[in-house]
Amino acid sequence: MYLNISRLFFSVIEMNELGLAIIGAGPAGITAAIYAKRKNLSVRLFEKGIAGGYVADSVLLENYTGFKEIKGIELAQKMAEHAKAQGIKIEEGITVEHAKKSTQGFELELSTGEKINAKAIIIATGTTHKQLNVPGEKELLGKGVTYCATCDGPMFREKTVAVIGGGNSGITNALFLADICKKVFIIEFGSQIKADAVYLDQLQKKKNIEVLTNRKIVRIFGDTMVEGIEVENTQTGESSMIECQGVFVYIGLLPQNSIARELGCKLDKKGYIETSKEGRTTVKGVFAAGDVSGAFAQAIVAAGTGAIAAESVFQFLLEKKN
Amino acid sequence: MYLNISRLFFSVIEMNELGLAIIGAGPAGITAAIYAKRKNLSVRLFEKGIAGGYVADSVLLENYTGFKEIKGIELAQKMAEHAKAQGIKIEEGITVEHAKKSTQGFELELSTGEKINAKAIIIATGTTHKQLNVPGEKELLGKGVTYCATCDGPMFREKTVAVIGGGNSGITNALFLADICKKVFIIEFGSQIKADAVYLDQLQKKKNIEVLTNRKIVRIFGDTMVEGIEVENTQTGESSMIECQGVFVYIGLLPQNSIARELGCKLDKKGYIETSKEGRTTVKGVFAAGDVSGAFAQAIVAAGTGAIAAESVFQFLLEKKN
């Protein structure tokens, strides 16, 4: 009986004393938690899926400095273990449904029904890739289908790949892939590609890039690995097969900004949270880190911005105590 | 004979074609090199000392996400191996003495006498800590003497430490250490500490911090580990001993900005290179990353800013080709 009361009391104290709520346990959120904990802040770290964010989905990382080659899922596990070693519990499977200002700072409503107060928030919710939603996309993810040329491009050396999407991100990634791959197809749904002139000029100089416009992806096929794509000419209705070993999907990203919007954080025109170099958003006490803050979408960058945001929270709470 | 000519030819081409020179092979420079190389840029990476920068000097890192605990020298080696695996040669022991604009971009003069041209430069030269220059400081470095509370603070749990320097960085780090350590002395040479009001207020609330002003450090003593410091009261000339296990030196940092100054990059009032979120300095084609860019001085942050700077160089060269 005594124990129960004591536990209850502890949990009330803990709730009221919570310094920092971190939303999202990718490299940004995990690093923020590690830094916050080392500054003795009370912190809770919520993750709607599993720890690691996009890192967990990456096939192989060769650009997270210090690990010359590591599987995404392994790095995600190492990050989660690191957090645990610092005394951080990653609360997986829990979504922060709503957040609003309160007298204490902020009130957060969790998918468990629990309501908590926090003096500061770090939003590290990342982005989701817009998907093609065609047969083969999910089935061959990590088996030739990828959303990141920087991460996976070097694995397609001397191979043929298709880049889906003729916007700036599709084109710049195609230009990069053209230096590595034997042949690069760019598949664009519209009647022309929509990238900056500077990139179009570069494009014309690359002899191993072929641009196909007015093309709709019908399916991605392959037995255990990608073998090709089927595309439909939207003008003629004709279908054709393109043999390739890699499919890079660049039809857009969706920053996970619903909590930021609820809190009134200013977003840029693409929906990313506007942040200062210190990770501060336009709302006092709300910080952002990682991909959702519009940073270069790489694990090592996300981790760095997480550390910066946690340090800024520490400074913010120091000033607030005054 | 044929081989020799061919080699010479290759080396001339390579020199003229050099896309990027990176100055400094700490986590920022190494990461920048990895990212640049993966974008197929030709890159050279110069390091005046040994690879790893301050990481190599750190006793133990518990906050480089993914490694829950790693010796500084080990992480430095892993970073160097990572670079090597990506085909990057770290040119150790080579200082970039001078740099100036040229028709190609920039001309750099190395300590070897070699002159090279590069289309873009990333300055990742870091900072040096101002040192006390007292007996025991060098001898007990990493044995209780440290320049980084964020890195090493948690190792002094329940111990007594002295923070040397009563400026903002000394005070904020003392406040952080006070939550971890049994007792924290702040030793200030001047007649009063010179931190922001917000910190002074916090300071008064901490019962385990003792501020000693008008004190000059005479020496740090200890057999194999720090055992204490000798301080002189500059008013009375009296000497006294303070027992402590840790000495945190916060008397200032010196950004290594000589090349940035030569190139005309705008510096902030402390001498750090002013950079945009994308790592661009005020001089076109010159980028900065890591501590010298005024980023939060942590290895994981430096690595992240290195990746960002390399990506910006890639975009810059793409625009330039046009």
Side-chain angles (χ1 to χ4, degrees):
Chain A
M1 191 61 184
Y2 174 72
L3 244 174
N4 282 347
I5 290 170
S6 137
R7 268 195 194 155
L8 180 70
F9 184 65
F10 182 70
S11 107
V12 171
I13 290 286
E14 198 178 40
M15 193 189 88
N16 290 335
E17 291 285 309
L18 184 64
L20 172 63
I22 301 173
I23 313 176
I30 288 178
T31 304
I34 291 170
Y35 271 79
K37 194 81 184 180
R38 288 170 68 82
K39 290 281 188 186
N40 259 6
L41 302 182
S42 59
V43 50
R44 285 181 73 176
L45 173 55
F46 304 105
E47 166 56 48
K48 70 173 178 176
I50 61 158
Y54 268 133
V55 168
D57 289 338
S58 303
V59 183
L60 191 73
L61 286 93
E62 295 180 326
N63 54 8
Y64 189 89
T65 318
F67 295 99
K68 62 183 166 191
E69 199 179 274
I70 186 165
K71 283 182 188 156
I73 189 70
E74 271 176 36
L75 182 57
Q77 280 162 358
K78 277 184 190 290
M79 288 180 169
E81 279 164 24
H82 190 164
K84 202 178 160 190
Q86 295 279 324
I88 298 147
K89 183 184 166 197
I90 303 179
E91 304 188 45
E92 291 180 321
I94 295 180
T95 305
V96 175
E97 304 274 10
H98 298 288
K100 61 179 183 190
K101 287 186 193 176
S102 70
T103 48
Q104 303 279 323
F106 302 96
E107 185 184 291
L108 281 71
E109 198 182 318
L110 309 182
S111 53
T112 56
E114 192 188 355
K115 284 184 184 175
I116 63 166
N117 283 295
K119 289 175 189 155
I121 299 176
I122 294 178
I123 302 175
T125 43
T127 57
T128 54
H129 296 283
K130 277 189 204 161
Q131 298 183 347
L132 294 164
N133 291 319
V134 298
E137 184 181 25
K138 268 192 191 141
E139 295 80 354
L140 295 164
L141 179 67
K143 295 166 184 165
V145 175
T146 162
Y147 300 85
C148 181
T150 303
C151 321
D152 300 329
M155 285 188 290
F156 294 87
R157 214 168 278 279
E158 294 305 319
K159 294 188 174 166
T160 297
V161 301
V163 172
I164 318 300
N168 271 334
S169 68
I171 299 306
T172 53
N173 282 290
L175 287 170
F176 157 56
L177 290 166
D179 286 341
I180 295 179
C181 303
K182 194 170 73 185
K183 169 101 186 184
V184 179
F185 289 97
I186 297 174
I187 313 293
E188 167 58 34
F189 183 79
S191 60
Q192 54 181 16
I193 56 181
K194 305 170 207 80
D196 298 344
V198 49
Y199 302 129
L200 300 183
D201 271 27
Q202 285 298 307
L203 206 58
Q204 290 185 329
K205 290 176 198 157
K206 296 283 181 191
K207 296 200 163 56
N208 61 340
I209 294 183
E210 188 175 337
V211 178
L212 300 172
T213 53
N214 295 313
R215 291 302 197 291
K216 189 176 128 184
I217 305 289
V218 180
R219 64 184 177 107
I220 302 169
F221 60 88
D223 203 4
T224 55
M225 299 294 284
V226 166
E227 291 166 22
I229 54 177
E230 181 180 343
V231 296
E232 184 190 307
N233 185 321
T234 56
Q235 307 288 88
T236 64
E238 246 174 86
S239 249
S240 60
M241 304 292 178
I242 298 172
E243 264 184 50
C244 60
Q245 289 79 51
V247 178
F248 292 80
V249 183
Y250 278 102
I251 56 171
L253 288 170
L254 296 171
Q256 300 298 288
N257 59 17
S258 63
I259 293 296
R261 269 191 282 112
E262 268 194 19
L263 288 166
C265 298
K266 195 174 171 190
L267 308 176
D268 72 14
K269 60 187 177 185
K270 287 182 178 169
Y272 293 94
I273 303 170
E274 285 199 359
T275 53
S276 70
K277 272 174 93 172
E278 295 76 28
R280 295 174 190 262
T281 71
T282 51
V283 176
K284 223 177 158 154
V286 181
F287 301 77
D291 296 3
V292 76
S293 72
F296 178 37
Q298 293 291 304
I300 194 77
V301 176
T305 60
I308 291 169
E311 175 69 10
S312 296
V313 167
F314 178 71
Q315 298 295 340
F316 166 75
L317 293 177
L318 219 51
E319 286 158 26
K320 206 182 168 189
K321 272 191 204 166
N322 201 29
Chain B
M1 190 60 184
Y2 174 72
L3 243 174
N4 282 348
I5 291 170
S6 139
R7 267 196 197 155
L8 181 68
F9 185 64
F10 182 70
S11 107
V12 170
I13 290 284
E14 198 178 41
M15 194 189 87
N16 289 335
E17 290 285 309
L18 184 64
L20 173 63
I22 301 172
I23 313 177
I30 287 178
T31 304
I34 291 170
Y35 271 80
K37 194 82 183 179
R38 288 171 68 82
K39 290 281 188 186
N40 260 6
L41 302 182
S42 59
V43 51
R44 284 181 72 176
L45 173 55
F46 304 105
E47 166 57 48
K48 70 173 180 179
I50 60 158
Y54 269 133
V55 168
D57 290 339
S58 302
V59 183
L60 191 73
L61 286 92
E62 296 180 325
N63 54 8
Y64 189 89
T65 318
F67 294 99
K68 61 184 167 190
E69 199 179 276
I70 187 165
K71 282 182 190 157
I73 189 71
E74 272 176 36
L75 182 57
Q77 281 162 358
K78 277 183 190 288
M79 287 180 171
E81 281 164 22
H82 190 164
K84 202 178 160 192
Q86 295 278 325
I88 298 147
K89 183 184 165 198
I90 303 177
E91 304 188 45
E92 292 180 321
I94 295 182
T95 305
V96 176
E97 304 274 9
H98 299 288
K100 63 179 181 192
K101 287 185 193 177
S102 71
T103 49
Q104 303 281 322
F106 303 95
E107 186 185 290
L108 281 70
E109 198 183 319
L110 309 182
S111 53
T112 56
E114 191 189 357
K115 284 184 184 176
I116 63 166
N117 283 297
K119 289 176 190 152
I121 299 176
I122 293 177
I123 303 175
T125 42
T127 56
T128 54
H129 296 284
K130 278 190 203 159
Q131 297 184 347
L132 293 164
N133 292 319
V134 298
E137 185 183 24
K138 268 191 189 140
E139 295 81 354
L140 294 165
L141 179 67
K143 296 166 183 163
V145 175
T146 163
Y147 299 85
C148 180
T150 301
C151 322
D152 300 329
M155 286 188 287
F156 293 88
R157 213 167 278 278
E158 294 304 319
K159 293 187 176 166
T160 297
V161 301
V163 172
I164 318 300
N168 271 335
S169 68
I171 299 306
T172 53
N173 282 290
L175 287 171
F176 156 56
L177 290 166
D179 286 340
I180 295 179
C181 304
K182 195 170 72 185
K183 170 100 188 184
V184 179
F185 289 96
I186 297 173
I187 314 293
E188 166 59 33
F189 183 79
S191 60
Q192 55 181 16
I193 56 182
K194 307 171 206 78
D196 298 344
V198 50
Y199 301 130
L200 299 183
D201 271 27
Q202 285 298 308
L203 205 59
Q204 290 185 327
K205 290 176 197 159
K206 297 282 182 192
K207 297 201 162 55
N208 61 339
I209 294 183
E210 189 173 337
V211 178
L212 300 173
T213 54
N214 295 313
R215 293 299 199 290
K216 189 176 129 185
I217 304 289
V218 180
R219 66 185 176 106
I220 302 169
F221 60 87
D223 204 3
T224 55
M225 299 293 284
V226 167
E227 291 165 23
I229 54 177
E230 182 179 342
V231 296
E232 185 189 305
N233 185 322
T234 56
Q235 308 288 88
T236 65
E238 245 173 87
S239 250
S240 59
M241 304 292 179
I242 297 173
E243 264 184 50
C244 59
Q245 289 81 51
V247 178
F248 292 81
V249 183
Y250 279 103
I251 57 171
L253 288 169
L254 296 171
Q256 300 299 287
N257 58 18
S258 63
I259 293 296
R261 269 189 282 112
E262 267 195 20
L263 289 166
C265 298
K266 194 175 173 193
L267 308 176
D268 72 13
K269 59 187 178 185
K270 287 182 179 169
Y272 293 94
I273 303 170
E274 285 198 359
T275 54
S276 70
K277 272 173 93 171
E278 295 76 29
R280 295 173 190 264
T281 71
T282 51
V283 176
K284 222 174 157 154
V286 181
F287 301 77
D291 296 4
V292 77
S293 72
F296 178 36
Q298 293 291 303
I300 194 76
V301 176
T305 60
I308 292 169
E311 174 68 11
S312 296
V313 167
F314 177 71
Q315 298 294 341
F316 167 75
L317 293 177
L318 218 52
E319 286 158 27
K320 206 183 169 188
K321 272 190 204 168
N322 202 29

